[in-house]
Structure formats: C-alpha cells, structure tokens
C-alpha cells in the first residue's frame, strides 16, 4: 500500500472525538479513517496524568501496528495535554495533531473581553493548559471550570435505555457548572464567549444554547484541527488524491475498547454511520 493511501488514526477516551472526526471527514473527504474510542478507560479527565499517558501510547502503538496509520489525530484535549509532547518524541516520523481549548480564537471573537472555558479536570490542571492561559494573559478575562462527570453523562446519553436519565443529568451538570462560572450575555462584564475545551461537549451545544441564550458564542476546535491535519499531510506529501472504490461508510472504521452499543448508537446519531462500521478493539489494546 502506498503511504498516502494509509488511514489516519483518530482517538479519544470515548465518543467525544467523533466531533473532530466529523470535521476531518468534511475537510478531507478522500481520506480513510480509523477511530478508536477508549471507553474501557474513560473518562480520561478524572484519571492521573500517568494513566492517560500510558493509554495514549498503547493506542498509538496499536494504531501503527494494526492499521499502519500515516498520521494521528489526538481528538481529546486531556490526552493532548498529558501526552502529546512525549508522543512526538517517540514517533518523530508520524504527523501528530492534538486539540487544545480554543482560547486564542475566543479572544478574537469576544466583545465583552470575558471568556468562559469548560474542560475536564485533567486539562484544567495540566501544565500545558497553564502555559496556554499565560500566552493570552492580559488579552481577556478567563473563567475556567473543570466539569467532572459531564463527559461520562454525554457518553451515557446515546444509549436508548439510559438516554432520559443521562439527558437530565447533562442539564443538571450544565446548569451547575455554568452558574458557578458567573453571568453570561452581551452586557459589559458578562461572558459572551464559551470555549468547549473537551471534545465531548460539542455534542451538548444545543443544551448550552438553551441555557445561556443564543447570544453566547460557543467555540470548539474540530475545524481548526482538520485544517491543521490537512496542512501536515500536504507538507509530508501524504494527502490521498482519490477516495478509492469504497463507500463513505467503508472508509471509516470505528473501534471501541468498551461497550460496542454505545459507539454504534453515537456513530449512527452523529455521523449517520451504520452499526457495521463499529467493531470491538482487540483485548490487548
Ligand atoms: N473528550 C476528552 C477531552 O477532550 C476527554 C473526556 C474524558 O474522558 O474525560 O478532553
């Protein structure tokens, strides 16, 4: 197989990274993707740094050995914060793209100069996030909220048997966290921009809009990550020139280390992919 026809690996602790996969598919329609949801070890945001780094390395090794990926997208803010530096050192030949809370784009968008950031505890506590905050110091006021439990509730909301309860849990967590952050709106001093610093949170945009009103801008990173992936592939001469004979659904393989039904439900709901696109990852991952 020539190098450019190999797939792009994408992973997250669970189904949150599907929000990034959506953007990747739109920006790179010819590419093939292998997505790994590490549900058996989710949520990453409430694990130690070491645990997240070990999972990141195990998954990357697996994607390289079993799927011969040509590039890796770490579709998880928490894993990016904990492990991207080490990952690039270990795999200097592999183009690696990570995600981080979109603070700079939020500064450009905000009129009131007060920006909210929601992310996992792991991301908020990381050195990488501290450096990111430093890099925008003085450009806006930031109110940062660690959102324990939210990624997990979003995971559970796709399963029909838990959907109602999980939706209720999501609304409660969102109200609790956004009220702890302060006041949202367009008036002076209010937060008019909210950064979604976890890839899972993209899937509760509607609930956030209902709570905060349509004036508050919600900022996520999927599109920017997809553009960066495209740039790296182009620079490395690894862009696929045609999609090949397979149907769109066959160009994406989704794997989970956990419960297959959750991934199937999310893939159908959010990407319109059939259940056959989803598989159990081998036990050694
Ligand atoms: N989706 C992930 C992120 O972007 C992690 C959520 C979790 O597992 O805690 O941070």
């Amino acid at each position: 197989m020539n190098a450019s026809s190999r797939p792009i690996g994408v992973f997250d602790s669970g189904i949150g990274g599907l929000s990034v996969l959506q953007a990747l598919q739109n920006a790179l329609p010819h590419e093939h993707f292998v997505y790994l949801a590490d549900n058996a070890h989710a949520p990453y945001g409430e694990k130690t740094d070491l645990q997240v780094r070990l999972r990141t390395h195990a998954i990357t090794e697996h994607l390289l050995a079993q799927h011969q990926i040509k590039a890796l997208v770490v579709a998880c803010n928490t894993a990016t914060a904990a492990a991207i530096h080490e990952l690039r050192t270990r795999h200097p030949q592999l183009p690696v793209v990570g995600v981080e809370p979109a603070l700079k784009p939020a500064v450009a968008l905000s009129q009131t100069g007060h920006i909210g950031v929601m992310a996992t505890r792991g991301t908020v506590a990381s050195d990488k996030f501290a450096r990111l905050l430093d890099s925008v110091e003085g450009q806006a006021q930031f109110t940062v909220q660690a959102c324990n439990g939210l990624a997990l509730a979003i995971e559970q909301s796709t399963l029909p048997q838990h959907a109602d309860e999980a939706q209720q849990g999501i609304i409660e967590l969102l109200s609790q966290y956004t009220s702890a952050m302060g006041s949202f709106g367009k008036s002076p001093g209010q937060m008019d921009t909210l950064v979604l610093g976890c890839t899972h949170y993209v899937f509760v945009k509607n609930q956030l809009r209902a709570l905060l009103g349509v004036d508050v801008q919600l900022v996520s990173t999927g599109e920017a990550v997809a553009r960066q992936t495209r740039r790296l592939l182009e620079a490395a001469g690894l862009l696929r020139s045609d999609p090949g004979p397979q149907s769109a659904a066959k160009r994406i393989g989704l794997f989970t280390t956990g419960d297959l039904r959750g991934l199937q439900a999310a893939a159908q709901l959010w990407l319109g992919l059939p259940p056959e696109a989803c598989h159990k990852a081998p036990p050694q991952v």
Side-chain angles (χ1 to χ4, degrees):
M1 200 195 285
N2 82 39
S4 60
S5 14
R6 284 160 23 207
I8 299 171
V10 183
F11 85 90
D12 178 40
S13 63
I15 56 180
L18 293 177
S19 63
V20 177
L21 183 60
Q22 235 169 16
L24 284 164
Q25 258 193 297
N26 291 338
L28 295 159
H30 291 171
E31 297 294 337
H32 293 207
F33 296 95
V34 179
Y35 181 91
L36 193 129
D38 195 15
N39 295 101
H41 303 92
Y44 280 3
E46 290 151 52
K47 292 227 160 7
T48 65
D49 202 58
L50 178 63
Q51 285 170 319
V52 176
R53 277 162 45 213
L54 291 175
R55 289 309 302 150
T56 300
H57 295 312
I59 291 166
T60 305
E61 299 296 343
H62 166 76
L63 291 173
L64 281 166
Q66 298 304 316
H67 298 280
Q68 292 79 45
I69 56 167
K70 63 177 177 182
L72 177 71
V73 178
V74 182
C76 173
N77 293 262
T78 315
T80 301
I84 200 138
H85 178 68
E86 221 171 54
L87 205 53
R88 289 191 172 123
T89 311
R90 284 194 190 191
H91 304 282
Q93 308 302 336
L94 182 71
V96 176
V97 183
V99 292
E100 63 180 15
L103 303 192
K104 286 173 197 161
V107 168
L109 285 170
S110 175
Q111 297 290 314
T112 61
H114 190 182
I115 294 165
V117 184
M118 295 172 84
T120 67
R121 186 172 74 204
T123 297
V124 169
S126 68
D127 293 343
K128 196 166 190 300
F129 184 69
R131 286 195 299 275
L132 183 64
L133 262 183
D134 279 350
S135 74
V136 288
E137 208 195 322
Q139 297 176 31
Q141 181 190 344
F142 289 92
T143 298
V144 179
Q145 179 67 46
C147 302
N148 283 354
L150 185 53
L152 194 60
I154 295 168
E155 290 279 332
Q156 288 164 347
S157 68
T158 59
L159 283 171
Q161 67 271 37
H162 299 304
D164 291 345
E165 210 181 313
Q167 278 303 339
Q168 193 49 40
I170 289 170
I171 304 292
E172 277 163 24
L173 287 171
L174 291 177
S175 327
Q176 177 193 327
Y177 290 135
T178 52
S179 14
M181 291 171 82
S183 168
F184 285 85
K186 287 206 299 194
S187 306
Q190 288 186 313
M191 285 170 275
D192 66 346
T193 307
L194 176 62
V195 175
L196 307 179
C198 168
T199 51
H200 281 75
Y201 304 168
V202 175
F203 293 120
V204 291
K205 270 187 175 176
N206 290 343
Q207 292 90 324
L208 277 166
R209 284 205 185 95
L211 268 175
L212 305 177
V214 285
D215 286 344
V216 176
Q217 315 177 79
L218 305 177
V219 189
S220 52
T221 28
E223 281 75 23
V225 167
R227 283 195 300 274
Q228 174 64 0
T229 308
R230 192 183 176 91
R231 273 194 290 271
L232 284 190
L233 289 177
E234 240 161 15
L238 287 173
L239 262 188
R240 225 188 133 105
S241 51
D242 70 85
Q246 298 96 328
S247 65
K250 292 241 168 69
R251 297 202 288 272
I252 301 180
L254 304 167
F255 295 82
T256 175
T257 56
D259 181 7
L260 190 57
R261 288 162 311 164
L263 181 63
Q264 285 175 324
Q268 180 121 51
L269 188 67
W270 294 329
L271 299 184
L273 290 172
E276 308 80 72
C278 301
H279 316 271
K280 269 297 269 186
Q284 70 272 17
V285 187

